[in-house]
Amino acid sequence: MTLQELKLHFFTELNEQYPATEIESFFFWLTQSELNISRLEMALNPQKKVDIQHVENFKKAILKLKNFEPIQYIVGDTEFYGGVFQVNPSVLIPRPETEELVAWMVEDLNNKKEIFRILDIGTGSGCISISLAKALPKAKISAIDISAEALQTAKENAKNNEVNVEFFQQDILETEKLDTTFEVIVSNPPYVRELEKKMMQENVLKYEPELALFVSDENPLIFYKKIAELAFEALEEKGVLYLEINEYLAQETQELLKEIGFLYIEIKNDIFEKPRMIKASL
Ligand SMILES: C[S@@+](CC[C@H](N)C(=O)[O-])C[C@H]1O[C@@H](n2cnc3c(N)ncnc32)[C@H](O)[C@@H]1O
């Protein structure tokens, strides 16, 4: 089969389930990872032969896509803040809004002249902690997660991205006090309410880890309360807490932080003008 024929087959198989732009993007994602062929090469050499094993792998990927498996889990990695991160169903696929949170932190913290400590709570793939470690050479970074499988992936990602992050398995909801103090604490904890499930796409619901996403409708800020209380005690003077937040609960999260004692609170919108990040300091 030629590349052009493979592309036609790929589009024909998936066009009932996905818009053409998305199929195109899946196709290039797979040609890059499976065949190591760039978009340009594809355009220049559509008659290039694809061997049978690779065609078989494309067919397997088509079946997975028909079952709405996310393309990032199919190819096994994704890009985040300029780095490549391995992903699998034990970790959430890093989202663009989280890149915005990292960008905000880097902008605030990159002129620090002395060593400072950052803690990332609920690190998942390690995308936040590892990206910060790459961008902020003065930062000494620790990260925790409840999931041993997620931590395994995060450790691999730190190695592949050539940075040092200390990872610990810890249940933050069962933590009475953090072991040490920090200049910066960051978290993108679970925050999707059960009632918001019906607005979510099948690929997220079926494949991404529940543990990383959902909280009860009755107590949706459970992680924010615990993290803010721990941070209030563990942050150094002038320390800062950064959080990704549920866009529907921005005001409630702000109130909670005020009640706990944070004095300066800033909510930041993402590129879609939705309130998705908060910064709080003492
Ligand atoms: C929304 S995901 C964020 C993952 C990653 N930081 C990111 O931004 O893509 C939340 C993470 O919190 C972890 N988590 C859930 N419950 C936890 C708990 N009780 N203690 C520590 N981590 C927890 C999950 O395993 C998951 O990796």
Side-chain angles (χ1 to χ4, degrees):
M1 207 183 240
T2 65
L3 269 174
Q4 197 170 33
E5 286 163 345
L6 181 64
K7 189 173 178 187
L8 185 64
H9 173 71
F10 194 81
F11 270 72
T12 314
E13 287 292 317
L14 294 170
N15 76 3
E16 274 183 17
Q17 278 156 297
Y18 296 97
T21 48
E22 210 167 343
I23 305 177
E24 176 113 358
S25 133
F26 294 156
F27 186 72
F28 287 122
W29 208 312
L30 283 163
T31 46
Q32 184 72 63
S33 85
E34 181 67 29
L35 307 172
N36 205 12
I37 286 178
S38 68
R39 263 172 201 254
L40 180 65
E41 213 179 328
M42 169 81 208
L44 291 175
N45 200 357
Q47 298 310 322
K48 188 178 166 118
K49 288 266 181 246
V50 182
D51 73 42
I52 186 82
Q53 187 53 53
H54 286 127
V55 173
E56 284 309 311
N57 290 345
F58 267 80
K59 287 186 177 165
K60 283 186 200 149
I62 288 170
L63 284 180
K64 291 179 178 180
L65 287 166
K66 282 187 174 182
N67 281 320
F68 295 104
E69 187 166 336
I71 187 74
Q72 294 90 337
Y73 289 154
I74 298 173
V75 300
D77 58 42
T78 192
E79 253 190 56
F80 181 89
Y81 202 72
V84 177
F85 289 79
Q86 282 184 28
V87 289
N88 55 58
S90 72
V91 298
L92 189 84
I93 297 166
R95 304 293 204 266
E97 51 271 22
T98 310
E99 281 181 312
E100 291 192 55
L101 176 69
V102 170
W104 193 18
M105 294 178 73
V106 171
E107 201 182 298
D108 285 355
L109 303 168
N110 69 2
N111 55 5
K112 285 210 177 257
K113 300 275 178 293
E114 289 174 2
I115 301 283
F116 65 106
R117 279 156 300 169
I118 302 181
L119 174 67
D120 172 24
I121 300 175
T123 197
S125 63
C127 60
I128 297 177
S129 53
I130 293 166
S131 304
L132 291 174
K134 285 165 81 175
L136 303 169
K138 292 283 180 202
K140 239 177 126 269
I141 307 191
S142 316
I144 63 181
D145 204 287
I146 194 171
S147 156
E149 293 81 15
L151 286 169
Q152 197 47 45
T153 307
K155 282 179 192 165
E156 297 264 324
N157 282 329
K159 202 163 102 203
N160 296 342
N161 281 279
E162 299 178 346
V163 292
N164 222 340
V165 174
E166 276 198 291
F167 293 102
F168 301 96
Q169 188 176 11
Q170 191 170 334
D171 181 346
I172 201 66
L173 296 178
E174 294 295 324
T175 303
E176 299 273 304
K177 185 175 182 294
L178 294 172
D179 294 340
T180 174
T181 58
F182 296 91
E183 278 76 11
V184 177
I185 295 179
V186 55
S187 185
N188 172 20
Y191 59 67
V192 182
R193 289 168 293 177
E194 292 290 326
L195 64 87
E196 290 164 44
K197 265 188 178 174
K198 57 179 177 299
M199 297 190 275
M200 295 178 85
Q201 287 179 333
E202 197 175 332
N203 56 354
V204 177
L205 292 175
K206 231 166 116 179
Y207 293 97
E208 296 208 68
E210 286 223 359
L211 183 67
L213 287 165
F214 298 108
V215 285
S216 72
D217 293 342
E218 295 72 40
N219 195 3
L221 297 180
I222 182 169
F223 283 94
Y224 292 87
K225 182 166 188 297
K226 186 70 185 184
I227 291 167
E229 284 168 354
L230 291 169
F232 190 74
E233 295 301 325
L235 279 173
E236 294 279 357
E237 205 184 323
K238 297 207 178 121
V240 192
L241 172 64
Y242 291 87
L243 299 164
E244 184 170 316
I245 57 172
N246 183 326
E247 64 185 87
Y248 307 111
L249 298 171
Q251 289 314 319
E252 289 87 338
T253 311
Q254 183 173 27
E255 282 308 312
L256 175 77
L257 291 166
K258 264 195 220 155
E259 275 165 29
I260 289 171
F262 285 90
L263 294 178
Y264 306 99
I265 301 171
E266 183 182 343
I267 297 180
K268 192 172 163 73
N269 288 352
D270 67 9
I271 51 163
F272 303 108
E273 290 304 325
K274 293 185 171 161
R276 297 305 306 268
M277 295 154 261
I278 238 175
K279 168 162 88 170
S281 54
L282 310 173

